[in-house]
């Protein structure tokens, strides 16, 4: 029914948008209507997606809804099919009122029970389930100290070795021991990584502690995103264990009561030589919050695989459709011109990335598809914490596919010459070889990450697939020659500013070559006899 009725409505909607915007070129928003040059196709898509009519495409707004209809039109015209009866993948996204996040924490040591004082002894992370009810998320059990809460044997760290935490409450330090690989360090020190690690081992809850006498609010501080409160995606109950942060004094008291020296324990954990042990205490805690549902969804289309033996495997191609919406408190203008413009149009971040995904879908479909299935997704809530891709990564197998790779395109800065390509993360997997080949075919070279300190491999939507053990790559134009100057200029002047518009000096022919490379890489991975694999020792491997 959807495919029989919906496309007519969507095409009509897209045509109205094009007329309103005055941007219905030969390619318009209606897919490739002839032999138009790829550069013109991409320009047309970006001019529409970054237009004022979409009011900055913020998650949960009418502007995002309009942009999603536009992308749906493209997917329909490309011959994609809905992933699960609809091109819209609804996301259980909630806006949590920060002031409502609260809980109780009863700590029992040596037979004596005391209640920890909120915001002094303990603070709480928003629950990740039961958000549509007033029910608290609860846990109880023995407290077990597990150092930094890491499981990275290839790096020489495994805080869970020899300790059973099933049904227990784990206490972990924030941060990591010294790790020279910046991406691995940022991945391992993330609170959500540690939460998932504990949940996978059956822990009842996780308690974070900063190994320095700082306020507990440091670990639970929530950044502002758009008009919403703290945005969270409801996840499966087995991954949604309660989480809280305790003060340094509380941590020290627990370690001392267990007959250990606090300074020695922390120093050993910080250098990676510590041991895990029972704290000889128990706790009962509950966490609750007030939350409202946000109308959020990804746009997802599938090009079925052509090889019956590989058709249940899928290469997932992603780009985030959302941006920052319109100006509101918390966003500071960098120029007088920005002060007058209240719409964050997001032409390069990430209108161009979405345009390239739409182009890739149309071209690969026209060419007859690939051995493996291709899943194309314009995801939402990237700007709010990679939340749309989080849900997509968690649900792919439920759609009937085994994800074997993710190719993510986010903010290609096509304002300077395209001479090299960066594949963030390819040094960790076999995706490096097909990327090198695809780069050579369009006359560029693949170059290493020039800004490793930024840890970009853990800062875009592909990371949600990495967290689930799927080899992934984040494609970005390189910075050889004067490229670093161009990159820095965009970041300084236009990144997350209203000036990121389609009238920037975008090199459309270079954008077309970037699209050519992307299509070739997708095809190489999807047609390869074997799926990508992690390199031996990669900390991201499951």
């Amino acid at each position: 029914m959807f495919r029989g009725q919906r496309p007519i409505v969507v095409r009509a909607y897209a045509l109205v948008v094009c007329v309103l915007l005055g941007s219905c070129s030969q390619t318009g928003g209606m897919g490739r209507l002839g032999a138009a040059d790829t550069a013109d196709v991409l320009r047309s898509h970006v001019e529409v997606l970054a237009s004022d009519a979409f009011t900055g495409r913020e998650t949960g707004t009418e502007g995002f809804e309009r942009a999603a209809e536009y992308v749906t039109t493209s997917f329909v015209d490309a011959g994609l099919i809905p992933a699960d009866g609809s091109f819209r993948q609804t996301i259980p996204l909630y806006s949590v009122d920060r002031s409502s996040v609260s809980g109780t924490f009863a700590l029992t040591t040596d037979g004596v029970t005391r209640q920890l004082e909120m915001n002094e002894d303990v603070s709480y992370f928003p629950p990740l389930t039961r958000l549509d009810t007033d029910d608290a998320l609860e846990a109880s059990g023995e407290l077990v100290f597990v150092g930094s809460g890491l499981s990275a044997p290839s790096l020489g760290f495994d805080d869970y070795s020899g300790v059973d935490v099933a049904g227990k409450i784990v206490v972990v330090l924030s941060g990591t021991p010294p790790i020279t690989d910046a991406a691995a360090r940022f991945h391992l020190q993330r609170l959500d990584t540690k939460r998932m690690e504990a949940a996978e081992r059956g822990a009842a809850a996780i308690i974070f502690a900063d190994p320095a006498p700082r306020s507990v609010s440091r670990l639970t501080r929530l950044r502002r995103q758009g008009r919403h409160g703290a945005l969270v995606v409801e996840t499966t109950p087995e991954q949604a264990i309660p989480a809280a942060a305790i003060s340094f004094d509380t941590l020290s008291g627990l370690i001392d009561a267990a007959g250990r020296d606090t300074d020695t324990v922390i120093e050993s954990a910080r250098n990676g030589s510590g041991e895990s042990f029972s704290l000889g205490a128990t706790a009962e805690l509950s966490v609750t919050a007030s939350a409202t549902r946000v109308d959020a969804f990804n746009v997802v289309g599938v090009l079925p695989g052509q090889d019956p033996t590989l058709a249940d495997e899928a290469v997932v191609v992603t780009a985030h459709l959302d941006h920052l919406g319109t100006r509101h408190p918390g966003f500071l203008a960098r120029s007088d011109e920005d002060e007058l413009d209240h719409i964050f149009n997001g032409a390069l971040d990430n209108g161009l990335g979405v345009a390239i995904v739409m182009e890739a879908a149309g071209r690969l479909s026209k060419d007859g598809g690939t051995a493996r299935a291709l899943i194309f997704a314009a995801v939402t809530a990237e700007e709010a914490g990679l939340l749309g891709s989080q849900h997509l990564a968690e649900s792919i197998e439920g759609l009937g596919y085994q994800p074997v790779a993710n190719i993510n395109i986010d903010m290609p800065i096509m304002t300077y010459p395209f001479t090299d390509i960066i594949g963030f993360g390819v040094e960790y997997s076999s995706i490096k070889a097909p990327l090198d080949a695809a780069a050579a075919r369009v006359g560029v070279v693949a170059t290493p990450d020039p800004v490793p300190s930024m840890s970009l491999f853990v800062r875009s939507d592909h990371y949600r697939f990495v967290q689930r053990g799927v080899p992934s790559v984040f494609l970005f134009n390189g910075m050889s020659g004067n490229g670093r100057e161009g990159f820095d200029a965009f970041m300084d002047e236009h990144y997350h500013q209203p000036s990121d518009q389609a009238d920037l000096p975008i090199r459309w022919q270079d954008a077309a070559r970037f699209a050519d490379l992307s299509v070739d890489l997708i095809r190489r991975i999807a047609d390869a006899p074997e799926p990508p694999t992690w390199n031996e020792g990669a900390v991201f491997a499951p």
Side-chain angles (χ1 to χ4, degrees):
M1 178 181 293
F2 179 85
R3 284 183 57 78
Q5 298 179 3
R6 181 75 171 180
I8 298 175
V9 176
V10 174
R11 286 192 180 92
Y13 176 86
L15 182 58
V16 169
V17 169
C18 285
V19 171
L20 288 174
L21 297 176
S23 62
C24 286
S25 63
Q26 181 182 5
T27 56
M30 307 297 293
R32 305 184 70 180
L33 304 181
D37 184 83
T38 300
D40 291 335
V41 175
L42 297 177
R43 180 201 293 265
S44 178
H45 284 322
V46 173
E47 286 176 346
V48 174
L49 290 171
S51 70
D52 286 354
F54 294 160
T55 59
R57 308 189 306 272
E58 186 176 9
T59 296
T61 66
E62 186 176 347
F64 182 90
E65 170 92 15
R66 293 172 180 168
E69 292 282 8
Y70 182 84
V71 175
T72 301
T73 300
S74 177
F75 282 3
V76 170
D77 286 350
L80 305 188
I81 63 173
D84 190 23
S86 171
F87 285 98
R88 294 190 177 198
Q89 182 192 43
T90 301
I91 298 172
L93 185 65
Y94 288 84
S95 175
V96 177
D97 178 359
R98 294 175 182 78
S99 64
S100 73
V101 180
S102 62
T104 61
F105 196 120
L107 178 63
T108 301
T109 306
D110 293 331
V112 178
T113 300
R114 70 183 181 98
Q115 292 288 338
L116 298 190
E117 188 71 24
M118 183 170 167
N119 295 328
E120 292 188 16
D121 303 316
V122 63
S123 62
Y124 303 95
F125 291 82
L128 297 180
T129 188
R130 303 181 185 176
L131 291 165
D132 56 352
T133 73
D134 294 327
D135 295 340
L137 191 59
E138 300 176 335
S140 62
E142 175 189 352
L143 295 180
V144 179
F145 179 76
V146 289
S148 296
L150 307 185
S151 180
S154 63
L155 298 179
F157 309 123
D158 192 356
D159 294 319
Y160 287 96
S161 178
V163 59
D164 180 10
V165 300
K168 302 174 184 178
I169 298 174
V170 297
V171 179
V172 306
L173 300 180
S174 62
T176 69
I179 298 174
T180 56
D181 184 325
R185 183 175 68 255
F186 275 82
H187 165 69
L188 292 170
Q189 74 182 15
R190 286 177 61 106
L191 303 185
D192 59 348
T193 298
K194 296 187 180 189
R195 192 176 196 171
M196 290 173 63
E197 201 72 63
E200 288 176 0
R201 286 165 171 75
I206 184 168
I207 307 301
F208 297 100
D210 199 308
R214 302 185 177 105
S215 167
V216 294
S217 63
R218 178 180 183 273
L219 278 176
T220 53
R221 187 179 300 121
L222 300 170
R223 63 177 178 169
R224 176 176 174 78
Q225 291 291 352
R227 296 171 181 75
H228 305 294
L231 291 180
V232 299
V233 169
E234 186 173 53
T235 188
T236 55
E238 59 270 20
Q239 296 177 350
I241 61 174
I246 58 174
S247 67
F248 177 84
D249 287 345
T250 302
L251 171 67
S252 180
L254 284 168
I255 294 175
D256 289 345
R260 309 286 182 117
D261 177 70
T262 298
D263 291 340
T264 301
V265 167
I266 290 178
E267 182 179 358
S268 297
R270 297 329 257 154
N271 63 32
S273 63
E275 63 174 312
S276 300
F277 57 90
S278 172
L279 288 165
T282 61
E284 294 183 6
L285 74 153
S286 67
V287 183
T288 188
S290 297
T292 55
R293 186 70 180 261
V294 177
D295 183 16
F297 56 92
N298 298 322
V299 182
V300 183
V302 178
L303 188 60
Q306 301 304 301
D307 184 338
T309 65
L310 298 175
D312 61 343
E313 297 181 354
V315 175
V316 187
V317 185
T318 52
H320 75 89
L321 179 59
D322 68 301
H323 198 51
L324 301 178
T326 55
R327 187 184 303 284
H328 40 79
F331 287 101
L332 301 177
R334 300 182 190 176
S335 66
D336 292 340
E337 182 179 347
D338 282 344
E339 189 66 48
L340 297 175
D341 188 350
H342 293 272
I343 298 177
F344 293 81
N345 300 93
L348 295 182
D349 185 16
N350 185 35
L352 181 54
V354 173
I356 290 170
V357 168
M358 291 193 291
E359 170 69 8
R363 198 183 304 181
L364 288 162
S365 177
K366 182 180 179 181
D367 291 346
T370 55
R372 293 179 176 83
L374 299 176
I375 298 177
F376 296 93
V379 298
T380 194
E382 188 272 351
E383 301 288 4
L386 318 182
L387 300 180
S389 54
Q390 175 186 333
H391 181 68
L392 178 65
E394 291 176 354
S395 62
I396 289 288
E397 292 186 23
L399 299 176
Y401 297 95
Q402 179 64 42
V404 299
N406 172 232
I407 298 170
N408 183 54
I409 303 172
D410 186 359
M411 200 176 75
I413 303 175
M414 288 295 159
T415 54
Y416 56 87
F418 177 40
T419 60
D420 60 315
I421 185 77
I422 300 168
F424 291 112
V426 292
E427 66 269 33
Y428 302 110
S429 78
S430 63
I431 293 177
K432 184 179 187 305
L435 176 63
D436 287 343
R441 186 168 183 177
V442 300
V444 301
V445 295
T447 52
D449 180 355
V451 286
S453 62
M454 295 183 69
S455 298
L456 294 177
F457 187 52
V458 302
R459 291 179 56 183
S460 191
D461 288 304
H462 62 286
Y463 178 64
R464 294 306 189 183
F465 289 87
V466 171
Q467 284 184 306
R468 278 161 177 75
V470 179
S472 304
V473 60
F474 169 17
L475 295 182
F476 199 85
N477 51 308
M479 303 178 196
S480 296
N482 296 326
R484 181 58 188 267
E485 295 178 12
F487 171 82
D488 288 341
F490 177 84
M491 297 298 290
D492 291 343
E493 300 171 17
H494 307 295
Y495 175 66
H496 283 190
Q497 292 297 314
S499 58
D500 180 10
Q501 300 186 108
D503 61 0
L504 287 172
I506 298 171
R507 301 171 64 94
W508 296 107
Q509 290 297 336
D510 279 349
R513 290 169 58 230
F514 191 104
D516 292 343
L517 184 154
S518 302
V519 169
D520 191 52
L521 177 61
I522 295 167
R523 183 184 288 114
R524 288 175 186 274
I525 294 175
D527 282 339
E530 299 296 330
T533 56
W534 292 105
N535 296 338
E536 185 177 356
V539 71
F540 307 101

